[in-house]
Structures are given as C-alpha cells and as structure tokens.
Amino acid sequence: MRVTIIPYEHRVSVEGASERVDCTSYEEINAIQWYGDHGEIEFVNTPEMVRGNEVITDFSPFQHLLDAWEVEAKKMLAD
C-alpha cells in the first residue's frame, strides 16, 4: 500500500486518495512516504538544522494517521 503523509498540509494520501487528517504533532516532518514494506521520513530543514531523510521499515508509529484517514474516507463515501 502506497501512503504519503504531508503534515504541514494535514494530508494523508492512500493509493492517491487524499483526506484531511490532523498531523499537528509532526511539524518537524515535511513528508512521510511509505511503499508497502519500507519508506522514508523527509524532515523539514532550516538554516539552523539540516537533516537527511530517514529510512523506515516500521509504519506502526504512523498507523494512527492511516486510521484517521480511513475514518475520513468513510465519511466522504457516506455523503
């Protein structure tokens, strides 16, 4: 499953279907890209702090955002 999380836009996209989700606690992250079995975290860089992307193999810390996306997607289908 392809998932993209863009915290500053409060957007979670699953297989191209995007929903607004509260991502307030992730201001230091520009995007999270998940490709099914691996992914990467793209951090916000500032003049004071530059960080490279971090490869991840565990999506569980972000599962609650995917769960929230599912709730919002079901609401859209019901409308």
Side-chain angles (χ1 to χ4, degrees):
M1 172 175 22
R2 178 77 165 91
V3 179
T4 300
I5 301 167
I6 304 175
Y8 69 91
E9 291 183 356
H10 295 280
R11 285 274 156 210
V12 175
S13 179
V14 178
E15 300 294 339
S18 179
E19 297 294 341
R20 184 167 172 75
V21 173
D22 181 13
C23 301
T24 304
S25 60
Y26 297 99
E27 289 92 9
E28 76 282 358
I29 295 175
N30 190 47
I32 301 162
Q33 305 285 348
W34 184 252
Y35 305 104
D37 63 351
H38 71 284
E40 62 184 325
I41 300 172
E42 301 169 13
F43 293 97
V44 172
N45 289 313
T46 66
E48 296 81 27
M49 179 177 217
V50 176
R51 295 174 69 178
N53 293 357
E54 179 182 324
V55 174
I56 58 173
T57 57
D58 180 12
F59 189 76
S60 62
F62 309 105
Q63 182 63 46
H64 67 284
L65 298 173
L66 186 58
D67 295 342
W69 173 90
E70 187 173 8
V71 168
E72 294 304 316
K74 285 180 180 177
K75 285 182 191 176
M76 291 300 292
L77 288 174
D79 289 344

